[in-house]
Amino acid sequence: MLHKKHVIRASLLLFLIVLSLTSYRIVSFLQGSAAIEQEWKAYKPDPIVNFGSTKHLSILPLVNWHTDNGALKGEAGVSYLIKTDNNTILFDVGFNKNQESPSPLEHNMKQLAVTLDSIDTIFMSHAHLDHSGGQQWVNKNTFSIGLEQTDLAGKDIYAATHTTYPNNKVNVIPEATVIGPGIASLGAISRQLFLGRIEEQALVINVENKGLVFIVGCGHQTVPKILTRAQQIFNEDIYGIVGDLHYPIPEGRLSLLGINLQKYLASGEGPHNPISFETMDNELNMLQELGLRFIALGGHDTSDEAIEYFNTKFGDGYRHVKVGDWIEIAK
Ligand SMILES: [Zn+2]
Ligand SMILES: [Zn+2]
């Protein structure tokens, strides 16, 4: 009898602890979201004029969910190689979910004959584990291409929030910034996720006779805010988007203890209100109304169902992101 009483008491205590922790998370989520909306309304970015252009733009997905062939490794992370007239940029460094050596990024680079020597710039979209080479590096405000941090001396590294790298000074650029001829960052756009606040920046490339191409990492910024910010800063028309826009509808790619992380904790308006098909459709209409000519969508945080929907809606303007499959925007 006494034993039963103890069990009831312990269960009640556990229930109260879980309840107060959840309530705390919900309150900080709501307060954080409200603060970000206020900041967003008050912020007026400086325009960027005449930042040059590039004749050529080719993008090679190095890490993502889908792959071009069985010799390449896919995972729920992101890395792109971006080539312009003057620069070769590594955009994010993958997940390395199993913390293996070589990492999927290193493995795919070798398969695709991409050497670190050929890369002059590293652009980090945001400090999430699936873009930084694993949580252990995010915890230390850094990132890693492999299981150990390789020497990146002499490369220009850009991040939107405080980031360090051994023997290299990381350029922290929260505001929209020109980083090369025809190459700029869109600046950090904040988002309150249930997981916590995140600042994400997209890369913007001005392609001669075409317009702006955006490369997006996770898409936490949301499409409406990316478009609004772009119109505040740039004069040029938007030609296309390459990257990942976070549509885990009906389900995302990552689960923990049966909870779909991308769907409930990293998108939408909190766990009780995940992102809906209607929201995605509205955002897609927004892109179409803008006259967007080209979209290549990655699948690391977007479902196959959502990808198929983009495909039917955009038709010829749609390209699927697959590791190892070059996206030639301007040859
Ligand atoms: Zn991501
Ligand atoms: Zn993310």
Side-chain angles (χ1 to χ4, degrees):
M1 202 56 200
L2 193 68
H3 174 68
K4 205 175 166 189
K5 237 184 198 172
H6 278 305
V7 171
I8 292 172
R9 216 176 268 170
S11 316
L12 194 66
L13 190 67
L14 188 68
F15 173 73
L16 285 174
I17 291 173
V18 171
L19 187 72
S20 49
L21 282 176
T22 313
S23 316
Y24 173 75
R25 289 294 314 158
I26 290 172
V27 170
S28 35
F29 173 77
L30 294 172
Q31 282 177 343
S33 305
I36 285 172
E37 282 320 302
Q38 276 197 346
E39 286 167 29
W40 172 258
K41 280 187 194 129
Y43 180 67
K44 298 279 170 281
D46 291 333
I48 288 180
V49 273
N50 298 333
F51 70 115
S53 63
T54 175
K55 280 192 178 67
H56 307 282
L57 175 61
S58 316
I59 300 172
L60 178 66
L62 290 174
V63 175
N64 213 304
W65 185 259
H66 297 101
T67 59
D68 188 45
N69 62 66
L72 299 163
K73 285 190 178 174
E75 64 168 352
V78 165
S79 181
Y80 292 103
L81 185 79
I82 300 158
K83 282 191 172 193
T84 67
D85 293 351
N86 294 289
N87 295 89
T88 301
I89 305 163
L90 183 67
F91 178 104
D92 291 348
V93 296
F95 190 167
N96 198 10
K97 187 165 185 274
N98 301 323
Q99 289 296 297
E100 54 195 345
S101 187
S103 64
L105 174 57
E106 290 170 321
H107 170 89
N108 294 342
M109 280 173 71
K110 196 165 179 203
Q111 289 289 322
L112 298 164
V114 175
T115 59
L116 259 184
D117 290 350
S118 68
I119 293 164
D120 50 69
T121 305
I122 295 172
F123 185 90
M124 299 299 295
S125 70
H126 67 304
H128 269 168
L129 75 176
D130 52 328
H131 299 250
S132 307
Q135 187 61 36
Q136 58 156 323
W137 306 111
V138 175
N139 292 344
K140 295 175 194 152
N141 295 312
T142 185
F143 62 90
S144 186
I145 286 168
L147 201 52
E148 308 279 330
Q149 284 183 309
T150 22
D151 182 20
L152 298 178
K155 301 192 193 300
D156 293 323
I157 307 178
Y158 297 92
T161 50
H162 171 64
T163 304
T164 60
Y165 200 90
N167 305 320
N168 199 318
K169 191 182 174 314
V170 176
N171 301 285
V172 179
I173 47 164
E175 316 274 331
T177 306
V178 178
I179 64 172
I183 308 169
S185 76
L186 185 62
I189 296 178
S190 312
R191 175 79 181 277
Q192 184 67 45
L193 301 173
F194 204 69
L195 292 170
R197 182 176 169 138
I198 189 76
E199 324 286 329
E200 182 171 348
Q201 62 176 353
L203 189 68
V204 185
I205 300 189
N206 188 21
V207 183
E208 205 176 283
N209 300 324
K210 284 191 157 66
L212 303 177
V213 174
F214 287 74
I215 296 112
V216 183
C218 232
H220 297 302
Q221 305 102 312
T222 73
V223 163
K225 281 191 175 170
I226 290 176
L227 299 182
T228 304
R229 180 64 63 83
Q231 284 156 352
Q232 288 170 329
I233 296 173
F234 299 101
N235 268 327
E236 295 81 358
D237 288 337
I238 302 176
Y239 178 79
I241 297 182
V242 175
D244 301 55
L245 295 174
H246 221 289
Y247 293 123
I249 308 162
E251 298 295 332
R253 308 286 187 193
L254 291 168
S255 282
L256 186 69
L257 304 171
I259 298 169
N260 195 288
L261 299 177
Q262 291 172 336
K263 180 176 179 179
Y264 292 105
L265 303 185
S267 64
E269 302 303 317
H272 54 292
N273 194 7
I275 184 166
S276 66
F277 177 83
E278 286 69 34
T279 303
M280 175 178 77
D281 200 31
N282 284 340
E283 296 182 358
L284 231 159
N285 290 337
M286 225 177 261
L287 295 174
Q288 279 187 324
E289 278 160 28
L290 203 76
L292 199 78
R293 304 282 297 281
F294 185 89
I295 185 151
L297 188 60
H300 97 286
D301 57 6
T302 289
S303 68
D304 289 344
E305 291 88 339
I307 286 170
E308 198 37 53
Y309 188 68
F310 267 73
N311 190 9
T312 29
K313 218 156 163 167
F314 264 98
D316 287 346
Y318 180 78
R319 259 295 294 277
H320 192 41
V321 166
K322 283 185 289 182
V323 174
D325 191 12
W326 279 98
I327 299 166
E328 300 282 3
I329 293 180
K331 277 204 172 185

